[in-house]
Structure formats: C-alpha cells, structure tokens
Amino acid sequence: MIYAILSVKKNPGKLDPLLAGIKGISGAGLYAVLVDKVAVAVCDINKVDLVADKSGAIEYASVIETLAQQYTLLPVRYGSVMESAGTIKKLLKRNYVEIQQNLKKVENKFEFGLKVFCDSEKLIAELKAESKETNEVEQKSGSEIQNSVFREYINKKLKEHRREEMMLSYVDSVIAELTEFLTHLNTVNKIKKMASPKNIIDAVFLLKKDKIEEMVQAIKDFQSKYPELNFILTGPWPPYNFVEFTIK
Amino acid sequence: MYDNVIDKSKDITILELLDRVLTKGVILSGDIVISVADIDLVYLGVKLMLCSVETMEQLKMGNPVPKR
C-alpha cells in the first residue's frame, strides 16, 4: 500500500529510521522505495487484508501526517495499492519530472482549510435593511403580484434571484478582503464560494511552515471584523488539495 | 465546559480528513491499482481548530454552542 511520495534531497539518511519507527495499516512495517531523490513510503499488505475500515483510515492518515512533519511530500489517495516495489519504481521513473515539479510546488509548505458559515436568512435580512433601494423595488413588486398565479411565481423567482445576487455580492466582497488580508503570507489560494447556503466560503491555503502562527492570527483578526460570520480554520494539513496529477 | 469544543472539533476534523484522504492527493491510475471502495471511516485525531470569537465567548461563559 502506498502512502506518500517524498522528496529526500534533504536528510535522506533519516528516512529509513523514521519509517522503521512507524507502523502502517494492520501494524505492517513501512519502508521506502527509492528512485534518485524521490522516495515512496509503502507497506506490504495481503489482498485478504485489503479492507477499508476505520482503524485503517486513521493509521493511513497518521502515517502521512508523521512523514509530513519531516519531509516535503505528496499525499497519495487512500486505497492505492500496487503489486510490487518494481512496479512502483517503474512508475516513479516514468513520472519523475512531474513528481519533482509537484514536490517543488509544495516544498516546506502546509495546507490550511477555512470554512466560513453564516445564518443566511439573518444575513440576507441585514443586507436588505442596508439596501433601501432593494426594499423599495421589492415592495413595488409585492403590490403587483396579486393578479395571477403566474405573476406570483415570477415575483417569487425574482426575489430569489435578488437574494442570490445580494448574497454573492457580499461573499465576493468578503473574499476580496480576505485575500487582501492574507497577501503578506504569500499563500496559494483555492476558494470556492457558496458551497452551501450556510457554508458561504470553502477555501484552502498553501503556505510556508514558518507562517503557521501568522496564519492563525490573521484569521482570528479577520474573524473579529466579521462577527456575523463563523470562521473555522483547520490544519496544518499535508498538502492534499495542492497535488493535482495522476501517475500513469 | 469544553466538551462542545472537543465534540465539534472531532466532527469537523473527521469531515475534513475524509474529504482529503478519499478525494484528494495523487491518483494512481491503471489496472495495477486496486482501489478500496465502500469506505466508512472515522478519524479521531484532533487538529487545530479556530472557532469564531463569538462561539468561543459563549463557551467561556458556559453557554452551549448554537447548532449551525
């Protein structure tokens, strides 16, 4: 079973002792398959033991996390198994350039996740109160709906559309301010807006390991500017969200 | 008093971890790969979590955290 692809250009001699001290899934011993300056952390596993269960997932994630404390690595998706060390070496050689490029991209970096939640109904009400113009338009629309079911339907859709627009505009402004706020940390950002009506921002950030404390403080400070929102920051994680390639 | 913090932290960590381990990371393709399907997992680790100031203040005062 394959856990992660590691850069061993620094401290290559420390990898074997480190792996020897970690137990993999089902207590299996870990070892490295090495090609030049890249190593793959693996453990042997019998096909009959290939059961995805809770303890397996805990052990798998723990191994990657332990290794990420010491080495720059690319986490491999859970459940990836190859037939032999020879096959792994072949794939490493074939994908060596791309692996090196990805390792460079995440070198000495960790990932943070940020989810921003809100009470969307309350927030919309507050935004509406701030927008007198919108209120007037809606009141006008409200006086026109009584004539038919069709008009009522159109008016309902219009209102929904305006709510969405208002919310999106608000979220865009928060995202713009947030990215501006984090500029000094030189983060790589991936931001998704309106993941759900309550989860208005779902973001991941890649940043240097020595900036972790600053990141936490920055989000705390930013939260205080937006008391109507709930910020949940998790991490530091290995760079799961910043590894985007398939080994073929 | 801090049970809510720990419980919520665990729940969020589980979701965050599952999202990463199961759907992110390097993908190995080809018929030599055996993927494990039908996964039902729970992760018990507790990572750093930053709650909102409002939530933390409520917890400090001993009030329950409102459900989202």
Side-chain angles (χ1 to χ4, degrees), chain A residues 133-199:
Chain A
E133 193 181 331
T134 309
N135 275 346
E136 283 170 358
V137 172
E138 288 202 350
Q139 278 166 12
K140 190 181 172 190
S141 303
S143 64
E144 288 172 353
I145 60 168
Q146 293 155 4
N147 295 343
S148 71
V149 175
F150 176 72
R151 281 196 177 180
E152 193 172 340
Y153 173 79
I154 292 294
N155 192 57
K156 190 183 163 199
K157 286 290 169 193
L158 262 173
K159 275 187 177 177
E160 283 174 6
H161 180 65
R162 283 187 195 121
R163 280 165 57 102
E164 279 173 20
E165 271 189 341
M166 203 182 282
M167 199 66 180
L168 272 177
S169 164
Y170 172 78
V171 172
D172 283 341
S173 69
V174 175
I175 289 172
E177 203 177 333
L178 177 66
T179 47
E180 174 77 23
F181 206 75
L182 298 177
T183 305
H184 69 290
L185 296 177
N186 290 320
T187 55
V188 179
N189 310 334
K190 287 186 181 178
I191 301 175
K192 189 175 161 188
K193 57 187 173 186
M194 301 305 294
S196 74
K198 286 184 187 296
N199 182 195

Side-chain angles (χ1 to χ4, degrees), chain A residues 96-114:
Chain A
Y96 194 79
V97 174
E98 201 171 4
I99 288 170
Q100 285 287 24
Q101 286 168 350
N102 274 270
L103 282 167
K104 195 176 175 188
K105 207 167 67 178
V106 299
E107 190 169 16
N108 294 320
K109 290 176 180 170
F110 271 129
E111 173 183 316
F112 271 88
L114 177 68

Side-chain angles (χ1 to χ4, degrees), chain A residues 43-73:
Chain A
C43 74
D44 292 331
I45 189 162
N46 292 321
K47 280 186 180 175
V48 289
D49 293 330
L50 264 178
V51 180
D53 58 14
K54 293 171 185 175
S55 64
I58 293 166
E59 287 161 9
Y60 189 85
S62 300
V63 168
I64 294 176
E65 195 160 333
T66 305
L67 294 171
Q69 301 299 325
Q70 305 289 327
Y71 290 91
T72 294
L73 60 75

Side-chain angles (χ1 to χ4, degrees), chain A residues 6 8-9 12 33-39 92-93 96 100:
Chain A
L6 298 85
V8 287
K9 65 181 182 184
V33 176
L34 199 67
V35 171
D36 197 15
K37 290 172 183 170
V38 172
L92 275 185
K93 286 175 184 168
Y96 194 79
Q100 285 287 24

Side-chain angles (χ1 to χ4, degrees), chain A residues 2 47 50 52-54 57-58 61 65 74-82 87 91 111 113 115 117 204 216 219-220 223 227 230-237 240-241 243 245-248, chain B residues 8 12-45 47-55 66 68:
Chain A
I2 300 163
K47 280 186 180 175
L50 264 178
D53 58 14
K54 293 171 185 175
I58 293 166
E65 195 160 333
L74 309 175
V76 174
R77 192 168 297 190
Y78 181 59
S80 299
V81 179
M82 285 193 178
T87 314
L91 284 185
E111 173 183 316
K115 289 190 191 303
F117 294 90
V204 284
V216 173
I219 298 299
K220 274 183 184 171
Q223 162 76 86
N230 274 325
F231 287 64
I232 294 174
L233 183 72
T234 62
W237 298 95
Y240 285 97
N241 280 285
V243 176
F245 76 106
T246 302
I247 290 187
K248 294 171 184 168
Chain B
K8 282 173 77 70
I12 290 163
T13 307
I14 290 164
L15 293 173
E16 289 281 293
L17 183 115
L18 291 180
D19 181 45
R20 284 171 169 80
V21 169
L22 300 179
T23 67
K24 307 291 190 300
V26 178
I27 301 165
L28 306 176
S29 76
D31 54 4
I32 46 173
V33 180
I34 303 158
S35 289
V36 183
D38 301 327
I39 297 166
D40 176 23
L41 308 165
V42 170
Y43 181 66
L44 298 174
K47 282 180 162 283
L48 168 69
M49 192 185 88
L50 178 69
C51 291
S52 72
V53 173
E54 184 191 5
T55 307
R68 291 193 180 96

